[in-house]
Amino acid sequence: MATSWFCSPKFLAFILLLSAIPIGIIISLELSNPATHVYYYQSNGRFRECGKWDDQNQRFIVGFVEGGIGQIPVSGVENEVLVEVPVVKDADLAGNSTLGIFIDQPRNRLLAVHAEPWRNRYSALAAYDLQTWQRLFLTQLSGPSDEKSLANDVTVDPQGNAYVTDVKASKIWKVGVEGKMKSIIRNPLFKAKEWYKNLGMGALNGIVYHPDGFLIVVHTYSGNLLRIDLSKSNEEEYEVKLIRVEGGPLTLGDGLELVSGTRLVVAAKHPTARLLESSDGWETASVVATYPGLRHKHRSPTTVTVKDGKVYINHLIGMGYPRRKHAFVQADFGGIE
C-alpha cells in the first residue's frame, strides 16, 4: 500500500515550516532593539504573574505562578541583565500560585495573594516583612467547601485594610490590618450583563485604592471599570457605580496602577496598556493614550508599576533556556506623563 501523504517527508517538512514561522517571528522580536527602556532579569521560572517596584529598597518584587516571591535588585548599571533572587517559598502553600502583590510601605510589609488556579478551591492573603521576609499572617479566603473562587489582586487603604478581588466569582474580600477577615463585598454590577462574560477566570481583576476614599476595579471580560465608594453605607453595601469610559470598554483589562489622582494605567492584552484620565472624581473617564507594546505582546502583559515617574508593564512569560529572561517594559504614551 502506498505511503499516505500525511506521513510523507514533504508533509513533515511542511509542518515544521509552519511551526517555525511563529517561532521565527518571536526570535526576531526578541533580537530587535526595544523601542522603549526595558529591565530584563533572569529567573528559573517561566511565569511571573505580578510585579511591583519597591522604591525604598530599589528593587522589583515579583510573584511566581509556581508559588513564591522573588526580588530583583537594581544596581543602576546601564543595560545590565538583572537576576531574580527567591525570598519566599512557603512549604504549607505548595501547589498555589502567587497571583497578586502590594507593597504596603507605611507598614514595611508586602501583601501577597496565593491561590490554587486549577480547581479554584483555595485562596488566601499573606503579609510578609519587607526586610526579613517573615510571614506576619496568613488569612484563608476560600476553601474546598466554598464556592469556586480565585483570589487575584490586592490593594490597601490608609488604615491597612486589604481588598482582594475574586476573578472567578466576582466579589471582593476585605481583610483587616492584622489579617482578620472583615467582610465580603458583593454587588450586581460586579458581574457583566452578558452571562458568557462571567465564565472562566474573567471577572473582577485589577484593583487600586484612590486617596479620595474609593476603590477602582476592572472586570476582565466585559472591560467594565467600577468605582466602589468606601465612605458610604456599611461594609457589605458600599455604593458601586459603573465608570463611563470614553474610548472603552477595557476588554481583557488586567492590572491597574494610579499614576496620579486623575490618571490611571490599565494593563491589557490588546493594546498592552491604556492611559485613562478623569476630571470628575472617576464618575467618568477617557482613554487619552494607548501603548501598543507590539514588540513584547507575545510575553503577555499583566500588571503595571511605576519607577521614577515612568510606567512599566510586567509580562507573564519568560523566554529562553535554561534560565528564562523576563521583562519590565516601559510604556510610551506619546509624551503624555
Side-chain angles (χ1 to χ4, degrees):
M1 185 173 65
T3 303
S4 169
W5 186 81
F6 292 102
C7 297
S8 69
K10 287 185 177 180
F11 177 74
L12 294 176
F14 176 71
I15 293 298
L16 286 173
L17 178 61
L18 285 180
S19 64
I21 291 174
I23 294 173
I25 292 172
I26 290 172
I27 291 173
S28 175
L29 289 170
E30 287 295 314
L31 293 177
S32 63
N33 292 324
T36 60
H37 183 257
V38 181
Y39 283 103
Y40 289 110
Y41 67 94
Q42 290 185 333
S43 165
N44 288 323
R46 174 69 70 188
F47 303 108
R48 296 294 177 259
E49 168 67 17
C50 50
K52 294 291 181 181
W53 171 248
D54 177 7
D55 187 64
Q56 184 168 313
N57 296 291
Q58 293 294 291
R59 62 189 175 182
F60 288 102
I61 300 177
V62 293
F64 303 167
V65 170
E66 68 271 24
I69 297 165
Q71 64 179 0
I72 303 111
V74 176
S75 65
V77 178
E78 191 68 22
N79 298 323
E80 178 187 19
V81 176
L82 308 174
V83 178
E84 173 191 279
V85 180
V87 291
V88 171
K89 193 74 173 178
D90 293 328
D92 58 339
L93 292 173
N96 292 286
S97 297
T98 304
L99 299 177
I101 57 175
F102 183 89
I103 299 172
D104 186 7
Q105 209 75 70
R107 296 168 188 84
N108 192 45
R109 64 179 187 170
L110 179 85
L111 295 181
V113 173
H114 302 295
E116 191 277 297
W118 316 120
R119 295 180 301 164
N120 312 135
R121 288 302 191 186
Y122 180 84
S123 292
L125 177 69
Y128 302 90
D129 184 278
L130 277 170
Q131 265 63 55
T132 66
W133 295 108
Q134 176 185 357
R135 194 167 75 190
L136 306 174
F137 69 72
L138 176 67
T139 302
Q140 183 171 328
L141 304 172
S142 68
S145 61
D146 301 317
E147 66 179 337
K148 286 190 175 183
S149 298
L150 184 65
N152 183 266
D153 200 5
V154 57
T155 193
V156 173
D157 67 20
Q159 291 73 44
N161 297 305
Y163 301 86
V164 183
T165 55
D166 183 348
V167 76
K168 178 72 177 177
S170 279
K171 62 179 182 289
I172 298 172
W173 292 279
K174 181 178 181 179
V175 178
V177 65
E178 301 297 333
K180 180 181 179 181
M181 174 72 75
K182 299 191 76 171
S183 64
I184 295 177
I185 307 170
R186 300 179 187 268
N187 190 279
L189 289 177
F190 288 173
K191 294 189 176 182
K193 291 181 180 180
E194 304 88 345
W195 63 269
Y196 55 88
K197 292 184 178 179
N198 297 301
L199 298 176
M201 294 181 286
L204 297 187
N205 198 324
I207 187 169
V208 292
Y209 173 84
H210 191 282
D212 288 344
F214 54 87
L215 302 171
I216 300 175
V217 63
V218 67
H219 185 284
T220 303
Y221 285 167
S222 70
N224 290 338
L225 196 66
L226 301 160
R227 183 186 191 277
I228 305 166
D229 194 336
L230 302 179
S231 66
K232 298 182 180 181
S233 192
N234 62 56
E235 289 190 347
E236 295 186 6
E237 297 178 359
Y238 293 123
E239 182 181 81
V240 179
K241 293 181 179 179
L242 184 67
I243 299 172
R244 183 168 56 84
V245 178
E246 184 178 342
L250 308 172
T251 307
L252 298 181
D254 198 332
L256 307 180
E257 184 81 7
L258 281 168
V259 294
S260 73
T262 60
R263 286 182 170 175
L264 174 80
V265 177
V266 182
K269 299 300 182 283
H270 303 288
T272 292
R274 299 176 178 94
L275 177 63
L276 277 66
E277 189 171 57
S278 175
S279 60
D280 58 6
W282 295 97
E283 297 287 336
T284 64
S286 299
V287 177
V288 296
T290 61
Y291 170 62
L294 295 177
R295 183 177 181 276
H296 285 85
K297 67 181 181 181
H298 60 282
R299 288 177 175 265
S300 189
T302 54
T303 55
V304 189
T305 191
V306 176
K307 180 185 182 297
D308 301 329
K310 296 179 173 62
V311 173
Y312 286 85
I313 309 298
N314 174 70
H315 289 69
L316 174 67
I317 301 172
M319 311 297 292
Y321 183 84
R323 300 209 77 189
R324 278 59 168 171
K325 189 169 74 172
H326 291 264
F328 282 95
V329 181
Q330 182 186 344
D332 180 6
F333 293 112
I336 299 177
E337 298 293 339

